[in-house]
Amino acid sequence: MLEPREGIPPVIADEAALAEVIAAFTAGSGPVAVDAERASGYRYGQRAYLVQLRREGAGSALIDPVACPDLSALGEALSGVEWVLHAATQDLPCLREIGMMPTRLFDTELAGRLAGFPRVGLGAMVESVLGYVLEKGHSAVDWSTRPLPEPWLRYAALDVELLVDLRDALEKELDRQGKLEWAREEFAAIAAAPPAEPRKDPWRRTSGMHKVRRRRQLAVVRELWQTRDRIAQKRDVSPGKVLSDAAIVEAALAMPGNVHALSALNGFGQRMGRRQLEQWQSAVDRAKALAESQLPSPGQPVTGPPPPRAWADKDPAAAARLSAARAAVSALAEQLDMPQENLITPDTVRRLCWEPPKVVDAESVAEALAGHGARAWQVEQVTPVLVAALSA
């Protein structure tokens, strides 16, 4: 499929045009296909730079959320309507920022996982389920570009062109497999989930952190990461474009004493000016000057069970339970033709095996699973095999 059925819709970039779209989509019928494009890798944060919609009776719409930053009126007009998204959890945070939140949704990627499709990308799903090949050449472009080139707009419009058709076909397939109610529970849980909590100590996710062992070096990573984050936010560019993770780790390991030593490290030489080098060296110096009590601890405080590799030494019985439970969940997932992590999260299995109920039976295991956030269908499916594994 090379062209949207009605051609490429004009980009909505003013309030009058937006009001027309809201009226058209309110008058439309059936589910609404929704997608958003971000500028990951180019801009700071995960904001939406284009929103695409399609609904029976309304056609397709492309909305510029930079020109129209408040889409809450559109969100309200579509309240109660089922939204069809592909990999909903990726798009919902940026849609929420502009006032769009579904009360009901259908996630075609998750539906594909539950139905046992080996490849669940949108292009692969549309091809295997509907027999159309979508052009997928522009997914990683800089969507903050203005004006957006026509080939990108065509690609964006095609992303929602067949989404409702895909939803209908997947609903039939899930129903045929007896999994439709399971999918509905999953979709309801996504729609009802609150926004994610801000990550604690996000600097600890710097790529290559495993090489950094000493607390003073960890402090250098933290100072450089926080300095980079402030600059990236101010300039509205991706942090990786300001300074790479590899350069941060390199500086933490080398602990350079001056700008000259810093400039000799990978990621700091070449085109970096004296002023830039000085700001990075200042961050290193701040970390060096910290008192021992101000240095970060080597690991994050662990909530829940320790890493499974440590179980054999700490609690051999728990390690044996985990091994049996993993094998049982794996066999059941294969039988149900779906990924293990969609059947039950690995974290839930770990928590249950580390601290099982005092009396292991169907009731206590089901209660523990529900307490860890498992959905009713998951509890029903995995309780029997986990009771057997924990009792072995």
Side-chain angles (χ1 to χ4, degrees):
M1 182 169 260
L2 300 173
E3 283 285 333
R5 278 167 274 197
E6 298 100 19
I8 303 168
V11 177
I12 304 302
D14 62 64
E15 292 305 317
L18 179 60
E20 286 178 24
V21 163
I22 293 171
F25 274 79
T26 305
S29 61
V32 58
V34 182
D35 191 23
E37 303 297 347
R38 300 178 299 283
S40 307
Y42 297 94
R43 295 287 179 175
Y44 185 86
Q46 292 294 314
R47 68 174 291 188
Y49 283 95
L50 189 70
V51 175
Q52 307 100 281
L53 304 106
R54 183 174 179 83
R55 192 179 190 194
E56 186 69 39
S60 294
L62 302 177
I63 302 174
D64 178 358
V66 178
C68 302
D70 180 8
L71 297 185
S72 53
L74 176 60
E76 282 162 26
L78 297 173
S79 179
V81 175
E82 182 188 82
W83 296 21
V84 184
L85 299 109
H86 191 81
T89 51
Q90 290 180 22
D91 286 338
L92 289 179
C94 71
L95 288 169
R96 184 185 271 115
E97 276 181 16
I98 51 178
M100 293 184 68
M101 266 307 291
T103 49
R104 292 167 53 216
L105 67 83
F106 189 107
D107 185 333
T108 48
E109 189 217 37
L110 183 49
R113 287 175 181 278
L114 296 175
F117 283 86
R119 293 165 62 226
V120 292
L122 181 59
M125 295 276 292
V126 165
E127 192 172 342
S128 60
V129 178
L130 302 175
Y132 286 100
V133 177
L134 288 181
E135 190 219 343
K136 294 299 288 179
H138 302 295
S139 58
V141 298
D142 180 2
W143 287 95
S144 68
T145 303
R146 291 296 181 272
L148 285 161
E150 189 176 286
W152 300 10
L153 295 173
R154 181 182 297 112
Y155 158 87
L158 285 171
D159 261 2
V160 289
E161 184 77 14
L162 297 168
L163 213 44
V164 174
D165 298 346
L166 180 61
R167 172 234 176 273
D168 293 344
L170 287 169
E171 185 176 60
K172 285 195 183 88
E173 180 57 26
L174 287 166
D175 195 29
R176 187 187 70 77
Q177 293 185 23
K179 297 174 181 173
L180 185 55
E181 283 310 314
W182 304 356
R184 284 179 177 150
E185 279 187 47
E186 291 297 302
F187 303 155
I190 294 171
E197 293 284 320
R199 208 183 286 281
K200 192 176 185 299
D201 291 349
W203 59 270
R204 289 187 185 271
R205 293 179 67 81
T206 304
S207 187
M209 274 290 283
H210 61 280
K211 300 176 195 165
V212 183
R213 297 282 158 81
R214 301 210 303 272
R215 291 177 68 200
R216 185 73 58 186
Q217 293 174 329
L218 287 172
V220 173
V221 173
R222 181 175 65 185
E223 283 294 334
L224 286 170
W225 190 98
Q226 290 174 346
T227 303
R228 175 182 75 173
D229 197 61
R230 282 194 297 273
I231 294 165
Q233 193 167 7
K234 192 174 173 186
R235 285 170 43 191
D236 190 18
V237 294
S238 164
K241 288 196 176 301
V242 176
L243 188 68
S244 70
D245 279 11
I248 289 178
V249 170
E250 183 101 359
L253 295 175
M255 304 282 277
N258 54 45
V259 166
H260 179 70
L262 181 71
S263 68
L265 301 176
N266 283 337
F268 290 94
Q270 296 133 347
R271 297 184 301 277
M272 200 172 275
R274 176 86 189 183
R275 251 179 79 190
Q276 283 175 294
L277 285 168
E278 281 172 355
Q279 77 187 358
W280 301 126
Q281 185 60 45
S282 294
V284 173
D285 293 342
R286 282 196 299 277
K288 284 180 168 181
L290 291 173
E292 282 290 322
S293 60
Q294 296 172 295
L295 298 178
S297 58
Q300 286 175 289
V302 176
T303 54
R309 63 179 177 274
W311 286 29
D313 293 331
K314 287 178 184 281
D315 188 339
R321 286 194 295 270
L322 182 63
S323 177
R326 280 173 163 173
V329 167
S330 174
L332 180 58
E334 203 168 311
Q335 192 185 319
L336 294 171
D337 194 17
M338 70 171 67
Q340 291 177 46
E341 64 272 18
N342 292 110
L343 174 58
I344 191 77
T345 68
D347 182 62
T348 297
V349 175
R350 282 195 295 272
R351 286 171 186 270
L352 183 70
C353 292
W354 186 250
E355 280 188 62
K358 286 189 171 52
V359 177
V360 173
D361 58 22
E363 194 180 331
S364 64
V365 169
E367 194 179 319
L369 289 169
H372 292 310
R375 257 73 71 195
W377 75 270
Q378 294 175 314
V379 173
E380 189 183 335
Q381 293 301 313
V382 300
T383 293
V385 300
L386 288 177
V387 168
L390 293 173
S391 308

